[in-house]
Amino acid sequence: MGPREASAVGRPTGARHLRFAFRTARPAARLAPEPACQPARSLQPGATPRLPARPMAASGGGAPARWAASPQAADENTLFGMGNPLLDICAVVDKDFLDKYGLKPNDQILAEEKHKELFEELVKKFKVEYHAGGSTQNSVKVAQWMIQSPYKVATFFGCIGTDKFGEILKKKAEEAHVDAHYYEQSEEPTGTCAACITSDNRSLVANLAAANCYKKEKHLDLDKNWKLVEKAKVYYIAGFFLTVSPESILKVATQASANNKIFSLNLSAPFISQFYKEPMMKVMPYVDVLFGNETEAATFAREQGFETEDIREIARKAQALPKVNLKRQRVVVFTQGKDDTIMATDSEVRSFPVLISDQSEIVDTNGAGDAFVGGFLSQLVYDHPLTECIRAGHYAASVIIKRSGCTFPEKPDFH
């Protein structure tokens, strides 16, 4: 689960913005992919698309160079993520608890003053489970799970508090074998998200707190931390972090581009494209892989003046936006819940059906989008073909929706 919302003055708050606070996937029940609105440009038979990696000699005079992939090993700290860490606190509660804090059985809200004591009471009164959460942290956690070995392929930066929940979050990240290096401060408590479970319902209450407090100069700029950034080959940041530290994103993105490494960004929520358009578009020229869902894609298209609602055309136009490192042509990947995933490269737009899940097997679609990205990244760090990256993304999402929260079994069954 990856709830995020801006809380500073001038940032969107209130009930009308709650939709974007939580990354939720549409139910992945029976699949009946809709026909494409327009035919995709096809690869040559048998060809397999890869994310461009290193130049091959251009054939013939001024013809543009094509780019071939170079297989690479997944060493420690190969994958770098930076975002808003939250400690997910899950518990089965009773109706009295929901009523006390004015919670609906199946809802997603941001914590208000009246919820101040909720988190501590939840821990004291009920049997709780803790998980390292937050959108980006979920994705790198899933990637590490898919990779399995070695441990600590995934690195994560974010801000927490110097408190009990912060210590638990560090422990949970370690148990997930993620190499988390948090900026710890004492002004705000560690961000938390309470998942209050009653029967088949989950009422989510997020208190973002310290997640908003990341400071580039106090963490990212430190030599020991920056060396971890330089060590990585693949980078992923959810758009939510644009509300916290756009300067940190830009520093990581420009470093990746200058060194011909892979930088990926997620649109994350409609409000990011609307209210954080300027910082987003400053980063966009450095983006090698752009993720989003169909709602986020539609909002991005409107804000960019694309004048189309066709998701394939939106993906094509987003792929063609200006780019600094021309050695890597941008790849755009839009998920659509139970409908086909769309991928645009410089040569084509393709559709990929998701894995079929029986409605009765679906427990919780929160975190499905984060899991898809995690699965995708787990193959990207090996420089596997993009088709394999998407297949792994679909697999990871199909596992997560059959469980409560962004959790998974001990080992993946992905071949």
Side-chain angles (χ1 to χ4, degrees):
M1 169 178 42
R4 254 303 297 138
E5 182 171 315
S7 62
V9 175
R11 293 175 179 172
T13 56
R16 73 187 183 93
H17 292 292
L18 285 178
R19 180 184 181 318
F20 58 63
F22 296 84
R23 295 283 317 219
T24 57
R26 265 60 52 198
R30 303 310 307 172
L31 298 186
E34 296 178 4
C37 297
Q38 64 181 53
R41 289 173 286 169
S42 299
L43 282 175
Q44 292 300 316
T48 306
R50 289 180 181 267
L51 189 68
R54 65 180 180 188
M56 295 170 59
S59 57
R66 287 293 172 189
W67 313 99
S70 53
Q72 58 189 30
D75 300 319
E76 281 190 15
N77 308 117
T78 296
L79 172 63
F80 176 84
M82 181 167 61
N84 304 304
L86 298 176
L87 178 66
D88 290 347
I89 309 172
C90 308
V92 176
V93 303
D94 51 37
K95 186 177 181 297
D96 289 344
F97 185 81
L98 295 183
D99 292 344
K100 178 178 180 179
Y101 290 102
L103 303 178
K104 297 175 183 175
N106 195 29
D107 203 6
Q108 305 162 349
I109 66 169
L110 291 167
E112 301 172 18
E113 187 63 30
K114 66 181 180 181
H115 303 121
K116 195 172 181 180
E117 307 301 324
L118 180 152
F119 300 90
E120 288 292 346
E121 183 175 344
L122 190 68
V123 172
K124 290 176 182 175
K125 194 171 180 180
F126 302 98
K127 182 180 178 180
V128 301
E129 286 186 8
Y130 296 106
H131 302 285
S135 185
T136 300
Q137 190 165 228
N138 274 342
S139 293
V140 299
K141 188 174 71 169
V142 169
Q144 180 65 59
W145 169 68
M146 290 282 288
I147 292 165
Q148 287 286 299
S149 181
Y151 293 163
K152 298 186 177 181
V153 169
T155 311
F156 178 76
F157 285 6
C159 183
I160 63 173
T162 52
D163 52 25
K164 180 182 71 175
F165 286 153
E167 291 302 314
I168 295 172
L169 184 51
K170 286 191 284 187
K171 181 172 178 281
K172 288 299 168 182
E174 185 178 351
E175 288 176 2
H177 309 303
V178 171
D179 192 18
H181 294 259
Y182 299 115
Y183 166 49
E184 299 180 46
Q185 49 75 56
S186 56
E187 292 181 14
E188 288 286 341
T190 297
T192 47
C193 183
C196 305
I197 303 164
T198 52
S199 185
D200 293 333
N201 296 313
R202 296 171 86 241
S203 188
L204 308 178
V205 186
N207 180 30
L208 304 168
N212 281 323
C213 299
Y214 190 83
K215 298 287 188 291
K216 170 179 168 288
E217 65 280 2
K218 292 186 178 180
H219 194 259
L220 187 67
D221 292 345
L222 300 183
D223 286 345
K224 65 177 182 178
N225 293 331
W226 187 246
K227 283 178 182 175
L228 289 170
V229 176
E230 293 178 322
K231 189 177 178 183
K233 297 175 182 176
V234 176
Y235 304 82
Y236 173 67
I237 300 176
F240 291 127
F241 203 58
L242 286 164
T243 72
V244 175
S245 187
E247 62 277 8
S248 294
I249 301 177
L250 203 55
K251 182 174 182 178
V252 171
T254 53
Q255 187 276 153
S257 179
N259 291 281
N260 196 28
K261 297 179 178 181
I262 302 170
F263 179 81
S264 52
L265 183 77
N266 204 313
L267 295 177
S268 290
F271 88 102
I272 300 292
S273 295
Q274 293 173 301
F275 300 105
Y276 295 89
K277 185 193 301 186
E278 185 178 346
M280 174 181 278
M281 298 316 293
K282 281 183 179 178
V283 174
M284 195 60 68
Y286 304 99
V287 175
D288 298 302
V289 185
L290 180 67
F291 295 102
N293 66 29
E294 78 277 27
T295 308
E296 296 150 8
T299 303
F300 181 74
R302 283 195 297 272
E303 292 297 322
Q304 295 301 314
F306 285 175
E307 297 183 346
T308 181
E309 294 181 359
D310 178 352
I311 193 164
R312 301 171 69 90
E313 186 65 11
I314 294 170
R316 188 190 66 77
K317 290 193 172 191
Q319 191 282 329
L321 287 169
K323 195 168 187 301
V324 172
N325 178 18
L326 298 180
K327 294 176 185 176
R328 294 188 184 278
Q329 294 301 316
R330 182 180 294 116
V331 175
V332 176
V333 182
F334 291 147
T335 57
Q336 304 186 88
K338 65 182 174 61
D339 295 324
D340 286 13
T341 294
I342 304 299
M343 179 180 74
T345 64
D346 62 327
S347 61
E348 63 170 357
V349 180
R350 290 182 67 179
S351 300
F352 298 84
V354 303
L355 294 175
I356 296 174
S357 291
D358 191 284
Q359 183 70 48
S360 65
E361 295 181 296
I362 298 172
V363 175
D364 182 3
T365 57
N366 271 296
D370 297 336
F372 173 85
V373 172
F376 189 102
L377 295 173
S378 75
Q379 303 307 296
L380 194 59
V381 298
Y382 289 112
D383 220 351
H384 285 171
L386 291 168
T387 50
E388 282 300 286
C389 296
I390 285 183
R391 191 169 74 88
H394 286 164
Y395 167 77
S398 75
V399 171
I400 264 65
I401 64 173
K402 295 171 186 173
R403 302 170 66 90
S404 182
C406 192
T407 62
F408 33 77
E410 184 181 351
K411 291 186 177 180
D413 182 23
F414 177 76
H415 306 287

